[in-house]
Amino acid sequence: AQSFVFATGEQALAIAISLRDGGNILELGDRLTTLMPELEADLPFGLTIEALFRQSTLTEVSVDSFLVNLFQSVGIVMVVMILTLGIRTGFVVASLIPIVMVSTFFVMGQFNIGINQISLAALIIALGLLVDNAIVVVEATIVRRENGQEAVSAAIDAAREMMVPLLISSLTTAAAFTPIALAQSAVGEFAAGIFYVVTIALLLSWVISMTFIPMLTPLVLRVKAKSTGDVGDQNSTFYNTYRSILLSVLRYPALFCISTVAVLMVALYGMRFVPQVFIPASEDPVLSSNLEIHQGSAIERSVALVKDVEAYVSERWLVDQSIGGDQVGITDWATYVGTGGPRFVLGFDPPNANAANSLMLMNLTSADSIDSVITSVENYVFDTHPDAHVQIKRLSNGPPVSYPIEVRVSGPEFSTLFGMVADIKAALWDIDEVTAVKDTWGPQSKKIVIRVDQARALRSGVTSSDIASSLNTGLSGSQMTEFREQGDTIPILLRATRDPERTISRLENLTIFSQSTQAAVPLQQVADIEVAWQPGQIKRRDRERTITIQAQVAQGVTAAEVASKFAPWVESYSSSLARGYSYEIGGETEKSDDATASIGAAIPFAGIAILLLLVIQFDSWRKTIIVVVTIPCGFIGIVAGLLLANSTFGFFTLLGLVSLAGIVINNAIVLLDRIKTEIDTNGRTPREAVISACEQRLRPILLTTATTIGGMIPLWLGGGPMFEPMAIAILFGLLFATVITLLLVPVMYSVLFGIRYSDA
């Protein structure tokens, strides 16, 4: 949550502060800001304190930005309502928004759901959906009053008529989000708040639409009863145009259905041209830089590397904050040599504590300078330290991914594993978009192997334990006891005098002491000494020796693009693997597949819940089929929108697809329910009922589309790379899905219920 550095010269102590469950990071940030001057006043001379990384500041900026997006969305939706419905009607519908928003925040607090990017994005998603309930109730009330019904009874009857259909539509929309909450993965836990917030907002919207809105309509609305034969707005050019188009597709239902399926197939084909990104990296002005040298290297080499990189960063990118202005660069940084550093945010995976590993955390002036700093520092390390490996990246918005491209190879024999690694590395280097390749074992290290001759050792009265103990004492030191000073425990080691020139000949003459005979013999008398190249470290996965090959991709290139080029080679290479050897694809591809699989495992539950709700509402399998068939139609607009906006498809785009499915289901339910009402209540023939219901539900459906699109515009323009694809998916998908719904639902209804319009 917070990270501070107490520093004096080159000596520094880093303190990371984490929150308990339910803690408020903004309150913690305010308290620490107040406390900082008191701490600095009590520090000894020469010691300073500075905030290296303050999550509360980034959180405050992020939440404030999303609150602005939310208020903009609310304002746009309210303006759309007033402009399209008129001042009085628009006021009635728009009054729902602040009531639901305030009520949702209250209920969120009762269930300990915090205000963050996820919950605020969920409110923006729900914004267009929750207005639909009020629009439908107000429209039904106006129709009844135009037909001469008294204001109060019209409001009551309209609410009673729409109570069950709107409840079912709200529940089906909420059910569409259940796979996110039920997903057994890190991403599911990360995004589960979308389901809870959307469900709370929709149910509150339904309650208020059934109570407050009907109470308000008699007081605010002014509706004139229609005279006999007056069709009002439904005789306008707009309605006449829609009626003629509807009759045209109803006359040729087979042609329309085939055309729709063909367009859907084209959209599915077009998906291959949409870049895929699992979860975009954070836009926070913070970078992490991993610096690695050969395993087994002394920590002094890591220190020298870090000092050189710090000198370059200080000279090239450090900004003077006292000057102010629009400077671009790095404000401050901290370096961890050999320790790995703290996991200061959930999406950061620090390197293992190792003398060969170092970590730099850098704060930048703004996100605009991130790409320039990454390219500059990487090029400097590549040019001046070719034996070192550097990876500089942004913070993660989701589960941490070490490298975008990873391949794990497993097997028993070193030589075969190293051959596989060499082949895979060569194939990766052949891909132009790959900028760096490494593996988790690192280069082989030169080691001294002591091979004990047991026969010679037995004659000398020396055991393998004696040799190991003497080598440890002579080279590293054996702990004899401990010295306690206040609360510290200091080990006392017995070690031979450090020899600056460690050679094989000196090691051969190392004295081995026998515990049983109390005699001492030189090492070369009981063992042979060899120099061998061996792995610097050996890592296992599921108890098998496993080497992970990791590749970094160029700026602006997605992991999916590189994986698509690499996959054919891997498939062909796998056929030549020896028995007992295997490979796995990791990295971003694996994380994406795991997240998709976890959501896919919960989709049957959501599907069954939606089908049960539809059956309860319609008591008809044919109407249920009609609703289900309309769901994929939104995918056509999603693909078109992503291609036009040059956006990406990832986890949050998938959330947009789920949200879109809920809106499409909602529109279809309301339309089918109106057809039933026209037949059962108004006594129309099925042929007349389809046309009349479509005309009466045209304006509510279009208004729902307009409000949802209006609410998505701020999220599209200001939601950043994480929420922008989701907004694009909902916006463009809904544009196409609305047109299809207004045409496909009546066509499917006519086909399944045997209604003919060939002579219309």
Side-chain angles (χ1 to χ4, degrees):
Q2 307 279 350
S3 181
F4 298 95
V5 174
F6 294 86
T8 171
E10 295 183 355
Q11 303 297 321
L13 171 66
I15 300 178
I17 305 173
S18 300
L19 287 175
R20 293 183 182 144
D21 290 340
N24 190 317
I25 191 170
L26 298 182
E27 291 181 0
L28 174 62
D30 292 340
R31 294 181 63 182
L32 289 173
T33 300
T34 305
L35 185 62
M36 196 77 68
E38 299 179 11
L39 292 174
E40 291 180 332
D42 295 334
L43 291 177
F45 178 76
L47 190 63
T48 61
I49 178 174
E50 60 184 31
L52 172 66
F53 178 83
R54 300 194 62 175
Q55 180 69 21
S56 61
T57 302
L58 298 178
T59 301
E60 186 174 6
V61 171
S62 177
V63 171
D64 288 346
S65 174
F66 255 76
L67 282 173
V68 171
N69 291 338
L70 177 61
F71 292 143
Q72 289 173 343
S73 298
V74 171
I76 291 174
V77 171
M78 295 179 73
V79 169
V80 170
M81 291 294 95
I82 294 174
L83 292 178
T84 55
L85 297 176
I87 295 179
R88 290 181 176 273
T89 306
F91 171 77
V92 173
V93 175
S95 64
L96 175 83
I97 299 174
I99 298 174
V100 172
M101 288 295 172
V102 173
S103 303
T104 301
F105 281 126
F106 174 77
V107 176
M108 286 169 57
Q110 300 304 308
F111 287 95
N112 199 27
I113 301 175
I115 298 177
N116 49 52
Q117 283 186 329
I118 297 297
S119 60
L120 292 177
L123 282 175
I124 297 176
I125 292 174
L127 189 59
L129 300 173
L130 60 89
V131 174
D132 185 50
N133 291 334
I135 292 175
V136 172
V137 172
V138 171
E139 282 281 332
T141 303
I142 292 175
V143 170
R144 289 178 177 274
R145 291 177 63 175
E146 287 177 341
N147 292 330
Q149 192 171 354
E150 190 268 331
V152 175
S153 63
I156 295 174
D157 290 346
R160 184 182 293 116
E161 174 193 351
M162 303 308 304
M163 179 168 55
V164 175
L166 291 181
L167 176 61
I168 296 297
S169 65
S170 297
L171 292 177
T172 53
T173 302
F177 287 91
T178 52
I180 302 171
L182 298 178
Q184 299 296 315
S185 65
V187 172
E189 182 179 357
F190 173 72
I194 290 181
F195 164 74
Y196 299 115
V197 175
V198 169
T199 302
I200 292 170
L202 290 179
L203 293 180
L204 288 173
S205 168
W206 176 79
V207 171
I208 295 172
S209 297
M210 296 298 109
T211 55
F212 179 76
I213 297 300
M215 181 187 70
L216 199 61
T217 54
L219 301 175
V220 179
L221 296 185
R222 299 290 182 266
V223 182
K224 293 182 180 180
K226 292 181 181 178
S227 59
T228 304
D230 182 13
V231 294
D233 292 339
Q234 293 185 13
N235 199 30
S236 65
T237 303
F238 178 74
Y239 278 92
N240 289 334
T241 303
Y242 170 63
R243 189 183 301 112
S244 62
I245 295 174
L246 178 60
L247 287 173
S248 298
V249 298
L250 288 173
R251 292 190 191 100
Y252 307 100
L255 178 61
F256 179 75
C257 292
I258 293 174
S259 301
T260 303
V261 173
V263 176
L264 181 60
M265 294 297 104
V266 172
L268 292 174
Y269 176 79
M271 264 301 296
R272 65 175 60 191
F273 303 105
V274 178
Q276 297 187 22
V277 176
F278 175 43
I279 294 181
S282 172
E283 288 294 294
D284 292 336
V286 181
L287 290 177
S288 66
S289 174
N290 295 339
L291 299 168
E292 301 179 26
I293 56 177
H294 292 177
Q295 295 296 322
S297 300
I299 196 170
E300 289 80 7
R301 288 195 58 198
S302 295
V303 171
L305 170 63
V306 165
K307 285 186 175 181
D308 185 60
V309 175
E310 286 182 330
Y312 172 77
V313 169
S314 177
E315 178 183 355
R316 174 65 179 83
W317 289 106
L318 184 62
V319 299
D320 188 350
Q321 299 184 65
S322 62
I323 298 177
D326 297 330
Q327 300 181 82
V328 175
I330 299 174
T331 58
D332 49 38
W333 71 84
T335 307
Y336 301 86
V337 181
T339 62
R343 188 173 188 176
F344 54 92
V345 290
L346 184 63
F348 174 68
D349 192 10
N352 294 329
N354 191 299
N357 296 341
S358 302
L359 170 69
M360 289 183 66
L361 296 177
M362 296 177 282
N363 290 324
L364 281 66
T365 53
S366 67
D368 297 334
S369 58
I370 288 180
D371 291 340
S372 300
V373 171
I374 291 177
T375 303
S376 173
V377 177
E378 282 184 343
N379 290 339
Y380 177 78
V381 176
F382 292 155
D383 294 339
T384 58
H385 301 278
D387 59 334
H389 178 82
V390 59
Q391 183 199 31
I392 308 176
K393 60 182 181 179
R394 306 165 185 251
L395 299 181
S396 174
N397 275 321
V401 179
S402 297
Y403 280 80
I405 303 295
E406 288 186 348
V407 183
R408 294 188 293 267
V409 294
S410 302
E413 297 295 332
F414 288 134
S415 58
T416 305
L417 282 177
F418 291 147
M420 294 171 62
V421 170
D423 293 339
I424 294 174
K425 282 185 175 181
L428 286 170
W429 277 120
D430 288 338
I431 302 175
D432 295 336
E433 292 81 1
V434 172
T435 59
V437 180
K438 63 179 286 289
D439 65 76
T440 52
W441 286 22
Q444 296 189 54
S445 302
K446 184 169 61 175
K447 297 184 178 181
I448 296 177
V449 180
I450 309 296
R451 301 192 182 279
V452 180
D453 188 322
Q454 296 296 338
R456 288 153 53 189
L458 184 62
R459 288 194 298 269
S460 302
V462 176
T463 64
S464 297
S465 177
D466 293 335
I467 298 174
S469 178
S470 298
L471 285 172
N472 184 52
T473 302
L475 300 177
S476 302
S478 297
Q479 181 173 335
M480 308 303 296
T481 185
E482 292 178 343
F483 176 75
R484 297 182 180 274
E485 182 177 359
Q486 297 180 354
D488 298 329
T489 301
I490 303 172
I492 298 178
L493 301 180
L494 174 63
R495 184 174 60 193
T497 303
R498 181 178 293 274
D499 189 351
E501 297 183 4
R502 293 186 177 181
T503 60
I504 298 296
S505 60
R506 291 180 182 272
L507 183 61
E508 290 175 341
N509 294 323
L510 183 69
T511 300
I512 305 299
F513 182 77
S514 172
Q515 297 289 339
S516 58
T517 64
Q518 303 297 307
V521 298
L523 177 62
Q524 64 178 347
Q525 183 173 322
V526 295
D528 298 320
I529 302 175
E530 300 176 0
V531 177
W533 290 93
Q534 294 184 354
Q537 57 182 341
I538 299 175
K539 294 187 175 183
R540 297 176 182 269
R541 183 181 175 90
D542 296 332
R543 295 185 297 178
E544 283 191 308
R545 290 172 177 167
T546 302
I547 305 178
T548 303
I549 300 96
Q550 301 170 321
Q552 187 70 24
V553 300
Q555 294 290 325
V557 179
T558 66
E561 293 174 3
V562 177
S564 64
K565 296 182 178 181
F566 182 61
W569 183 90
V570 173
E571 290 295 331
S572 62
Y573 183 72
S574 62
S575 60
S576 63
L577 294 181
R579 184 176 181 181
Y581 295 85
S582 62
Y583 79 94
E584 289 180 333
I585 301 297
E588 190 172 306
T589 301
E590 183 181 47
K591 293 289 186 182
S592 178
D593 291 344
D594 290 345
T596 304
S598 65
I599 293 177
I603 285 179
F605 174 84
I608 292 173
I610 291 173
L611 289 176
L612 288 176
L613 290 169
L614 294 176
V615 170
I616 292 172
Q617 167 65 21
F618 297 124
D619 193 21
S620 169
W621 62 268
R622 286 181 289 186
K623 293 182 180 179
T624 302
I625 291 176
I626 293 173
V627 176
V628 173
V629 167
T630 59
I631 296 176
C633 296
F635 191 75
I636 301 172
I638 290 178
V639 176
L642 294 176
L643 289 174
L644 290 174
N646 194 26
S647 188
T648 60
F649 188 93
F651 178 75
F652 284 92
T653 318
L654 185 63
L655 296 185
L657 178 61
V658 172
S659 176
L660 181 63
I663 300 173
V664 172
I665 292 172
N666 179 71
N667 290 338
I669 289 176
V670 173
L671 182 54
L672 290 173
D673 181 75
R674 188 62 205 179
I675 295 175
K676 181 177 182 298
T677 300
E678 291 293 322
I679 296 174
D680 296 344
T681 304
N682 298 336
R684 297 182 185 272
T685 64
R687 181 168 164 169
E688 295 172 339
V690 171
I691 302 296
S692 178
C694 290
E695 291 176 343
Q696 293 191 44
R697 287 292 174 253
L698 175 62
R699 186 163 68 167
I701 291 176
L702 292 180
L703 285 176
T704 300
T705 300
T707 54
T708 304
I709 290 175
M712 286 295 111
I713 290 176
L715 198 60
W716 177 16
L717 300 178
M722 185 162 67
F723 291 103
E724 175 189 317
M726 182 180 71
I728 292 173
I730 297 175
L731 195 152
F732 285 91
L734 188 57
L735 279 175
F736 193 87
T738 299
V739 176
I740 290 295
T741 300
L742 289 170
L743 298 177
L744 183 62
V745 170
V747 168
M748 292 294 298
Y749 186 92
S750 301
V751 171
L752 293 179
F753 285 88
I755 305 173
R756 297 288 181 265
Y757 290 87
S758 55
D759 58 342

